[in-house]
Amino acid sequence: MSQSLSSTLSAVSSLAEVDSRSTPGFDGDKAAGKAALAELGTELADLQERLHAHGTTGDPRSVLVVLQGMDTSGKGGTIEKVVGLVSPLGVRIASFKKPTPEELAHDFLWRVERRLPSAGELGVFDRSHYEDVLIGRVRRLADVDEVERRYDAINAFERRYVESGGTVLKCLLHISPDDQAARLLARLDDPTKHWKFNPGDIDERELWDDYQDAYDLVLQRTSTDVAPWHVVPSGRKWYRNWAVGRLLLEHLRALDLTWPEADYDVDEQRARLAASS
Amino acid sequence: MSQSLSSTLSAVSSLAEVDSRSTPGFDGDKAAGKAALAELGTELADLQERLHAHGTTGDPRSVLVVLQGMDTSGKGGTIEKVVGLVSPLGVRIASFKKPTPEELAHDFLWRVERRLPSAGELGVFDRSHYEDVLIGRVRRLADVDEVERRYDAINAFERRYVESGGTVLKCLLHISPDDQAARLLARLDDPTKHWKFNPGDIDERELWDDYQDAYDLVLQRTSTDVAPWHVVPSGRKWYRNWAVGRLLLEHLRALDLTWPEADYDVDEQRARLAASS
């Protein structure tokens, strides 16, 4: 690939520019996409284990994947198919629900700070602090000035995380209203998926255009040099999974993760072991 | 299988009874063992997703797998190979290291309580509160009366977890001194594994018999009706992985996990969806 997928997908400033069923950076069909994701698996798992190994040696680096998107855009599916490729050891998934009273009694970033990955961890946010400028704006859960304040607060928060050793990969899983209708219907038609459906999903769906505006503001206000957004067309699940896997791989590769060197004398320990047997 | 693996592996009261390279309940070789584990994967993943689904509906049930064993017994490998078979969504792994000053300023179960799985979660403890009666006893990190107190405290703690909806699966990964010597040497011989080795591992190894005594006490004092110990022969990695997978499957099956029923009128929501398109 001559250009990185990261640079391709981060060059978007409005969702209206993007066809949810397009497959930028991938030239192939569904079967090829699934095969390409599986091929990424070995290197992804290797690099994640190296990251985890470094975390045990005092290296502060960690990686945070932020997944945002409308209902049914596939945040859970992406976690299952992409994060499922690496070892569960050193992975920390945080799902952000409606804030609790205790969480609401603090600044909106309080609960987020507590769930950042530790050194060596691969963290995944299933929804995130961006809810506070998405549903927060659309549903007017906070007043206008407060929502305005939050964009800068988010940028400062993410910059601090990056400056203290973090790498952020923000993915906006982009679907169309038709994509969503088909997926919601599939949930209603399958009793093993009824638990994933909530009547409130349709209430939010009816505010589709407001959400698209709020997402565009997120892209324009919070795509920074240290933490750009990637708009991932997610009308085709196989492309979405491959693209997030590929983005994660590019971000892990950029860390130049070697194996940590021993901080003890290997021969001396071999002799101690022999003497102890 | 006429008898459950759980009843076979929980009928042990001293590690001296168990050959670390035996394969109780499995009649086959390494290739067959790996294939048998892979075969468990589909049902394990299905049942774990059902557990997770129930957690979203107010069902308090959760499952906790406790992994204990000497260094190199394979706690991490078991997590990778067995927990890696299910979706990362709804899995919570807690690795217990040397306690922090804040943790030491509380009762030994304080940090454990905070890391119990929530409703619907599959929790995994990589080491656990048992360290406080293992290294705690062997290294005299606590005085004798305090260690004695802890066995009953652990039993009461686990009973409370079970009575509030939890299922506990405790696995003692049993290896011999020879198994450990070979694995420590393999770590020293492979630069990609140097980070897993710690000179302190040999210090602990030299106290092998004291640890075996401490493990026997754990088996005798904390194998209860609600939370029995399972001694998993772990000299053969493939058997260890299959056995823990099989034990987890038996425990999940016992929960009779159906899919949660919709708490809304499906036809009504289908009509709302159609009207919103």
Side-chain angles (χ1 to χ4, degrees):
Chain A
M1 192 173 300
S2 55
Q3 193 184 21
S4 74
L5 187 65
S6 180
S7 60
T8 302
L9 298 186
S10 61
V12 172
S13 60
S14 170
L15 294 182
E17 302 166 23
V18 182
D19 177 353
S20 72
R21 296 181 63 78
S22 62
T23 62
F26 192 83
D27 189 23
D29 62 5
K30 179 174 178 174
K34 288 188 169 192
L37 175 63
E39 267 172 43
L40 298 179
T42 308
E43 189 178 351
L44 268 183
D46 179 67
L47 293 180
Q48 182 267 332
E49 192 187 359
R50 292 180 191 215
L51 177 69
H52 177 59
H54 277 280
T56 65
T57 66
D59 184 327
R61 289 181 295 176
S62 64
V63 173
L64 172 64
V65 179
V66 175
L67 298 176
Q68 279 290 157
M70 300 293 287
D71 286 322
T72 76
S73 60
K75 300 175 288 292
T78 302
I79 292 172
E80 186 174 334
K81 299 295 185 190
V82 180
V83 182
L85 293 171
V86 309
S87 168
L89 276 174
V91 170
R92 182 194 297 256
I93 295 168
S95 293
F96 289 92
K97 315 280 186 196
K98 190 175 162 187
T100 64
E102 187 188 20
E103 288 169 350
L104 286 172
H106 294 84
D107 178 57
F108 78 108
L109 290 171
W110 179 77
R111 66 174 184 159
V112 182
E113 181 91 46
R114 295 152 58 97
R115 302 181 82 176
L116 285 173
S118 307
E121 284 187 330
L122 170 62
V124 183
F125 281 1
D126 174 6
R127 303 186 185 273
S128 67
H129 42 299
Y130 285 96
E131 291 296 320
D132 297 286
V133 291
L134 288 165
I135 193 169
R137 172 177 282 270
V138 172
R139 289 286 184 184
R140 294 169 211 257
L141 303 179
D143 68 33
V144 175
D145 288 349
E146 167 61 11
V147 172
E148 282 301 312
R149 180 189 74 84
R150 290 178 181 173
Y151 299 111
D152 291 338
I154 286 172
N155 291 340
F157 173 79
E158 292 178 355
R159 181 171 295 278
R160 176 164 58 85
Y161 171 66
V162 169
E163 288 176 346
S164 63
T167 293
V168 186
L169 167 59
K170 299 192 293 198
C171 298
L172 200 172
L173 307 184
H174 172 55
I175 56 171
S176 70
D178 286 350
D179 295 328
Q180 190 190 56
R183 292 178 187 179
L184 286 175
L185 190 59
R187 289 182 179 180
L188 287 169
D189 285 346
D190 180 352
T192 75
K193 295 202 169 91
H194 282 171
W195 66 278
K196 294 188 180 183
F197 180 90
N198 188 310
D201 297 347
I202 296 182
D203 300 330
E204 300 311 305
R205 173 175 170 76
E206 283 168 354
L207 299 169
W208 192 275
D209 291 343
D210 294 338
Y211 273 104
Q212 300 302 292
D213 290 345
Y215 272 112
D216 282 358
L217 278 168
V218 160
L219 292 178
Q220 289 151 25
R221 302 286 296 274
T222 65
S223 249
T224 59
D225 56 337
V226 297
W229 274 102
H230 300 81
V231 176
V232 178
S234 299
R236 298 179 198 268
K237 294 177 185 175
W238 64 264
Y239 173 79
R240 175 199 72 205
N241 295 339
W242 171 80
V244 175
R246 173 78 205 176
L247 289 170
L248 179 56
L249 184 61
E250 288 179 359
H251 282 68
L252 285 168
R253 279 182 180 166
L255 296 180
D256 276 328
L257 291 158
T258 54
W259 288 103
E261 290 196 30
D263 59 358
Y264 50 84
D265 183 316
V266 175
D267 286 334
E268 183 186 322
Q269 297 303 322
R270 216 181 261 124
R272 284 186 70 208
L273 177 60
S276 79
S277 293
Chain B
M1 194 174 303
S2 55
Q3 192 184 20
S4 74
L5 187 64
S6 179
S7 60
T8 302
L9 298 187
S10 61
V12 172
S13 60
S14 170
L15 294 181
E17 301 166 22
V18 182
D19 176 353
S20 72
R21 295 183 63 79
S22 62
T23 62
F26 192 82
D27 190 21
D29 62 5
K30 180 174 178 175
K34 287 187 168 193
L37 175 63
E39 267 172 43
L40 298 180
T42 308
E43 188 178 352
L44 267 183
D46 178 69
L47 293 180
Q48 183 267 332
E49 192 188 358
R50 294 180 190 214
L51 177 69
H52 178 58
H54 277 279
T56 67
T57 66
D59 184 327
R61 289 180 293 174
S62 64
V63 173
L64 171 63
V65 179
V66 175
L67 298 177
Q68 280 290 157
M70 298 295 286
D71 286 323
T72 77
S73 61
K75 299 175 288 292
T78 302
I79 292 172
E80 186 174 334
K81 299 296 185 190
V82 179
V83 182
L85 293 171
V86 309
S87 169
L89 278 173
V91 170
R92 181 194 297 256
I93 295 168
S95 294
F96 290 92
K97 315 279 186 198
K98 192 175 160 185
T100 65
E102 188 188 20
E103 289 169 350
L104 286 173
H106 294 84
D107 178 57
F108 76 107
L109 290 170
W110 179 78
R111 67 174 185 159
V112 182
E113 181 92 46
R114 294 153 59 98
R115 302 182 81 177
L116 285 173
S118 307
E121 284 186 331
L122 170 62
V124 184
F125 281 1
D126 174 4
R127 301 186 187 271
S128 68
H129 42 300
Y130 285 97
E131 291 295 322
D132 297 286
V133 290
L134 288 165
I135 194 170
R137 172 178 282 268
V138 171
R139 290 286 186 185
R140 294 168 210 254
L141 303 178
D143 67 32
V144 175
D145 288 350
E146 168 61 12
V147 172
E148 282 300 313
R149 180 188 74 85
R150 289 177 181 173
Y151 298 110
D152 291 338
I154 287 172
N155 290 340
F157 174 79
E158 292 178 355
R159 180 171 297 278
R160 176 163 59 84
Y161 171 65
V162 169
E163 287 176 346
S164 63
T167 293
V168 186
L169 167 58
K170 299 192 293 199
C171 298
L172 199 173
L173 307 184
H174 172 55
I175 56 172
S176 70
D178 286 350
D179 296 327
Q180 189 189 57
R183 292 178 187 179
L184 287 175
L185 189 60
R187 289 182 180 180
L188 287 169
D189 285 347
D190 180 352
T192 74
K193 294 203 169 94
H194 282 173
W195 66 278
K196 294 188 181 183
F197 180 90
N198 189 310
D201 297 347
I202 297 182
D203 300 331
E204 299 312 304
R205 172 175 172 76
E206 284 169 352
L207 300 168
W208 192 275
D209 291 342
D210 293 338
Y211 274 104
Q212 300 303 292
D213 290 345
Y215 273 112
D216 281 357
L217 277 168
V218 161
L219 292 178
Q220 290 152 24
R221 300 286 295 273
T222 66
S223 247
T224 60
D225 54 338
V226 297
W229 273 103
H230 300 80
V231 176
V232 179
S234 298
R236 299 179 197 268
K237 296 177 183 175
W238 63 264
Y239 173 79
R240 174 200 71 205
N241 295 338
W242 171 79
V244 175
R246 173 78 206 177
L247 289 170
L248 179 56
L249 184 61
E250 289 179 359
H251 282 71
L252 285 168
R253 279 183 179 165
L255 296 179
D256 276 329
L257 291 158
T258 54
W259 289 102
E261 290 197 29
D263 59 358
Y264 50 83
D265 182 315
V266 175
D267 287 333
E268 184 185 322
Q269 296 304 320
R270 216 181 260 123
R272 283 186 72 210
L273 177 60
S276 79
S277 296

